[in-house]
Amino acid sequence: MKQSSTQHTKMAENSKKLHIAVFPWLAFGHMIPYLELSKLIAQKGHTVSFISTPRNIDRLPKLPPNLTPFLKFVKLHLPHVEKLPENAEATIDLPYEQVKYLKLAQDGLEESMVKFLEDSAPDFILFDFTSYWVPSVASKLNIPSGYFSIFIAAFLGFMGPEPGLNNDYEIRKTPEEYTVSPKWVPFETTVAWKLFEVSRIFEASMKGEEENIADVSRYYKSVEKCDFLFVRSCSEFEPEWLKVVRDIHRKPVFPVGQLPTTTHEDDNTKIDAWREIKLWLDKQEQGKVIYVAFGSEAKPSQNELTELSLGLELSGLPFFWVLRIKRGESDDELIQLPEGFEDRTKGRGIVCTSWAPQLKILSHDSVGGFLTHSGWSSVIEAIQFEKSLILLTFLADQGINARVLEEKKMAYSIPRNNRDGSFTRDSVAESVNLVLVEKKGEIYREKVKEVKSLFCDKERQDKYVENLLYYLQNYKKML
């Protein structure tokens, strides 16, 4: 069949190869989704410059060889910031209260960023909420910028527009005001923080401190100044929240899919670590192991650790627990497992305080459930391997994620005191048994299987990437 000249033109337009720079926040929960999106763009033959610091780039998963010609890593050196420990280049290297100094150090990269943009002149730059200054420097060089949110649309919708910016929304001044659905959300929903969740982050994230700009201000500036918004989400999963985001920000908003983690394995020490873990998992009953991990940032308090440990012991179920007892070298608040706990659970449970291959563990048949902080990458990884979800939130967007999952019956949260977040060993034991074993918890086991195709279908993910690339390739025409 002969193609018309308009079809030829359209194909030529859409085959235009782009150069896209990406600049995530210095946290692995942000860098990994940015890397996944970068890999998908590079697979289409476009050039991606992935910008971060030397140590972070060296710690990222290795690229498959076919992508190395297209995906280039750009190392920018962090400036010295007083009170930021040496070699701390990511949130994983720091106790929570020192993360503000990392944000200040990233702010200090503005000059290096300008130089990089001048020298390499990418077609677009995608940036994270912490680097609210990127759109200003990019626009001076006529480079359009997009805020790529690794937070789901429900979180962006709940945070809303900047109060007073072309609207009459009131500023939320107290933690309590974040525990109810805001007035710009036009439908009934339980999505809001619990008081203990917002109280933990209120000072740093909502109010800010003398030496640092509040996260919420960084976010509002990022959304206000960017040219378009990419969201880690899919229309089929949260259409009503994506509509809220479009309505309140009045600019192009594109879901980019869920970006499930993919790995390229070529590290022998990691292969050996997995071999040992696999031997233990092979001996366990199918679907009965509870995998426990709270990401690279969350660290339980001593009391939380004690109740969690004794709850896992009480549950009678086998468990594999990846436990962070220290956040970086400067973390002097050490937490300890209850006395005799490891002896009493020997053979039935493993506590691993070093690196563990999360995807491989979750893919094992003996693992039935994942007790997680509800960071979105961990949620997607659980769904990828059809593992039911038990939630225990700690920081940031985790409470909002948890409400979305609870609402959709995709996960069960360990019951806690709303004011202080305390929970008991009994509630831990009851929750894991409910979700992994009991008839009542069957809905959580089934729901994860139901949504797998929505979250992890390669074809669907590919369409989202093609859609955003089509938008970028035709960007100038759409203005």
Side-chain angles (χ1 to χ4, degrees):
M1 195 174 101
K2 211 174 168 198
Q3 283 177 315
S4 69
S5 58
T6 51
Q7 278 176 305
H8 275 303
T9 319
K10 203 163 183 191
M11 282 170 69
E13 267 172 23
N14 296 343
S15 62
K16 179 191 174 223
K17 295 304 177 203
L18 301 169
H19 175 196
I20 300 168
V22 302
F23 184 43
W25 162 228
L26 308 174
F28 281 90
H30 290 243
M31 289 185 267
I32 299 298
Y34 266 73
L35 184 63
E36 289 302 335
L37 182 61
S38 300
K39 282 167 24 181
L40 290 165
I41 292 170
Q43 271 169 20
K44 307 278 183 196
H46 301 278
T47 302
V48 180
S49 292
F50 188 102
I51 307 162
S52 194
T53 66
R55 191 164 175 229
N56 288 335
I57 284 170
D58 293 343
R59 290 185 283 186
L60 285 170
K62 298 282 176 281
L63 288 180
N66 64 314
L67 295 185
T68 50
F70 304 101
L71 216 170
K72 311 286 183 198
F73 291 109
V74 178
K75 296 180 175 181
L76 300 185
H77 291 268
L78 280 180
H80 171 74
V81 165
E82 210 185 327
K83 297 186 190 165
L84 181 68
E86 212 181 329
N87 290 328
E89 294 187 12
T91 52
I92 195 172
D93 306 323
L94 294 161
Y96 177 67
E97 56 284 355
Q98 290 182 3
V99 170
K100 59 188 172 191
Y101 305 120
L102 189 62
K103 288 185 182 124
L104 293 173
Q106 194 186 35
D107 289 344
L109 290 176
E110 191 171 329
E111 218 174 286
S112 317
M113 178 62 78
V114 170
K115 186 165 176 12
F116 164 76
L117 293 173
E118 282 173 342
D119 293 348
S120 56
D123 297 300
F124 298 93
I125 180 162
L126 303 183
F127 69 100
D128 215 333
F129 81 99
T130 44
S131 320
Y132 63 94
W133 41 268
V134 164
S136 304
V137 301
S139 71
K140 282 177 192 152
L141 300 166
N142 291 321
I143 298 167
S145 64
Y147 165 41
F148 167 35
S149 166
I150 65 118
F151 305 121
I152 62 173
F155 180 79
L156 303 187
F158 179 80
M159 290 311 292
E162 183 167 2
L165 194 75
N166 309 320
N167 62 54
D168 57 358
Y169 299 133
E170 287 164 22
I171 297 172
R172 291 177 276 195
K173 295 191 176 88
T174 64
E176 284 77 6
E177 288 169 291
Y178 285 92
T179 62
V180 291
S181 183
K183 60 176 79 171
W184 55 82
V185 175
F187 48 85
E188 284 292 309
T189 179
T190 55
V191 171
W193 271 300
K194 303 275 191 213
L195 188 59
F196 75 88
E197 290 167 337
V198 71
S199 299
R200 287 178 177 196
I201 57 171
F202 190 73
E203 288 301 315
S205 297
M206 311 304 178
K207 282 176 75 178
E209 293 141 308
E210 274 175 37
E211 70 257 72
N212 188 25
I213 296 165
D215 287 346
V216 74
S217 303
R218 290 174 182 269
Y219 164 69
Y220 285 144
K221 286 188 167 83
S222 296
V223 181
E224 182 203 338
K225 303 285 186 199
C226 70
D227 296 297
F228 50 87
L229 211 74
F230 286 170
V231 187
R232 185 187 197 178
S233 181
C234 49
S235 322
E236 303 91 333
F237 179 65
E238 42 174 3
E240 70 287 35
W241 284 109
L242 281 160
K243 185 178 184 317
V244 170
V245 178
R246 287 189 182 104
D247 289 348
I248 59 183
H249 294 306
R250 299 190 189 100
K251 57 178 66 186
V253 174
F254 288 89
V256 301
Q258 298 289 1
L259 305 171
T261 312
T262 55
T263 54
H264 170 68
E265 210 51 83
D266 66 348
D267 183 331
N268 287 335
T269 54
K270 288 182 176 178
I271 291 166
D272 291 343
W274 164 237
R275 200 172 288 135
E276 227 168 290
I277 294 165
K278 186 179 180 299
L279 280 174
W280 181 82
L281 288 170
D282 287 346
K283 293 177 193 152
Q284 309 308 315
E285 196 184 334
Q286 191 168 338
K288 289 295 180 282
V289 175
I290 179 89
Y291 174 60
V292 187
F294 302 116
S296 57
E297 291 191 39
K299 179 184 138 188
S301 68
Q302 183 56 60
N303 189 48
E304 287 169 337
L305 179 70
T306 302
E307 292 305 310
L308 202 48
S309 313
L310 299 176
L312 289 169
E313 185 180 342
L314 208 56
S315 74
L317 290 167
F319 60 88
F320 190 98
W321 186 359
V322 181
L323 174 64
R324 285 182 59 73
I325 51 171
K326 203 173 164 63
R327 276 189 59 171
E329 290 310 307
S330 60
D331 187 353
D332 48 17
E333 273 187 47
L334 285 187
I335 49 175
Q336 287 178 318
L337 290 163
E339 206 174 327
F341 168 75
E342 286 181 277
D343 290 334
R344 293 193 302 273
T345 56
K346 205 177 170 88
R348 172 162 76 83
I350 286 182
V351 179
C352 167
T353 52
S354 58
W355 175 86
Q358 183 155 297
L359 283 177
K360 281 190 158 68
I361 294 169
L362 286 171
S363 70
H364 198 282
D365 286 346
S366 69
V367 174
F370 185 4
L371 172 47
T372 169
H373 57 329
S374 84
W376 205 247
S377 291
S378 292
V379 167
I380 292 165
E381 287 171 6
I383 291 167
Q384 212 170 336
F385 298 107
E386 299 181 4
K387 308 302 176 187
S388 42
L389 287 154
I390 306 106
L391 309 178
L392 190 71
T393 61
F394 287 91
L395 295 167
D397 58 324
Q398 294 160 15
I400 301 295
N401 295 345
R403 292 313 90 71
V404 171
L405 295 167
E406 291 159 15
E407 231 178 37
K408 292 177 184 282
K409 295 280 187 284
M410 285 168 62
Y412 182 81
S413 287
I414 291 173
R416 298 167 85 165
N417 178 302
N418 268 358
R419 293 198 74 79
D420 64 12
S422 59
F423 56 90
T424 65
R425 57 199 75 173
D426 291 324
S427 64
V428 172
E430 285 158 16
S431 300
V432 295
N433 271 298
L434 169 78
V435 175
L436 257 74
V437 182
E438 289 170 26
K439 185 93 180 86
K440 260 196 322 191
E442 206 168 323
I443 185 161
Y444 304 109
R445 303 192 283 277
E446 289 309 311
K447 211 66 173 155
V448 164
K449 293 173 189 163
E450 265 175 51
V451 295
K452 182 181 175 176
S453 65
L454 195 61
F455 274 58
C456 305
D457 179 66
K458 275 196 168 71
E459 227 170 279
R460 192 190 301 273
Q461 179 60 71
D462 201 48
K463 280 198 181 108
Y464 277 110
V465 174
E466 278 182 359
N467 190 30
L468 69 90
L469 285 168
Y470 178 81
Y471 171 72
L472 295 177
Q473 284 167 323
N474 296 283
Y475 181 76
K476 288 196 171 91
K477 286 185 183 160
M478 293 183 185
L479 292 179

